[in-house]
Amino acid sequence: MTDLPRYEYVKLADAIAADIASGKLPEGAALPGERAMTELHSVSIGTVRRAIVELRKRGLVATLPAKGTYVIATPEPPTHATEEDGPAG
């Protein structure tokens, strides 16, 4: 099966989520403004806005009107059941 192309806003959201996970953007940090992000990532303002919506859906950021968008959570690493967790079924 071939990999389907991802939308630019998803790529941008994934890149920002990776920055959050790595600590480059810690909890409480403000994301750059929309116009600055268009220049930083060479994307349109619509792409930036859709990426921010995606990050809000993921529960990673919150946007305060006239204040900006802030990191509110760090992505949880995927958890895998272990033998210590008990029987799986």
Side-chain angles (χ1 to χ4, degrees), residues 41-57:
H41 299 283
S42 300
V43 295
S44 71
I45 198 158
T47 298
V48 169
R49 289 177 178 162
R50 287 188 73 182
I52 291 171
V53 168
E54 177 66 23
L55 291 167
R56 281 199 305 259
K57 287 180 183 177

Side-chain angles (χ1 to χ4, degrees), residues 32-45:
E34 290 178 347
R35 293 188 197 282
M37 288 177 64
T38 63
E39 293 176 15
L40 282 171
H41 299 283
S42 300
V43 295
S44 71
I45 198 158

Side-chain angles (χ1 to χ4, degrees), residues 4 7 14 20 29 31-32 36 38-40 44-45 50 53 55 57 62 64 72-73 76 78-79 81 83 87:
L4 296 174
Y7 290 108
D14 288 346
I20 293 169
L31 267 59
T38 63
E39 293 176 15
L40 282 171
S44 71
I45 198 158
R50 287 188 73 182
V53 168
L55 291 167
K57 287 180 183 177
L64 303 173
I72 60 169
E76 294 291 326
T79 58
E83 291 180 23

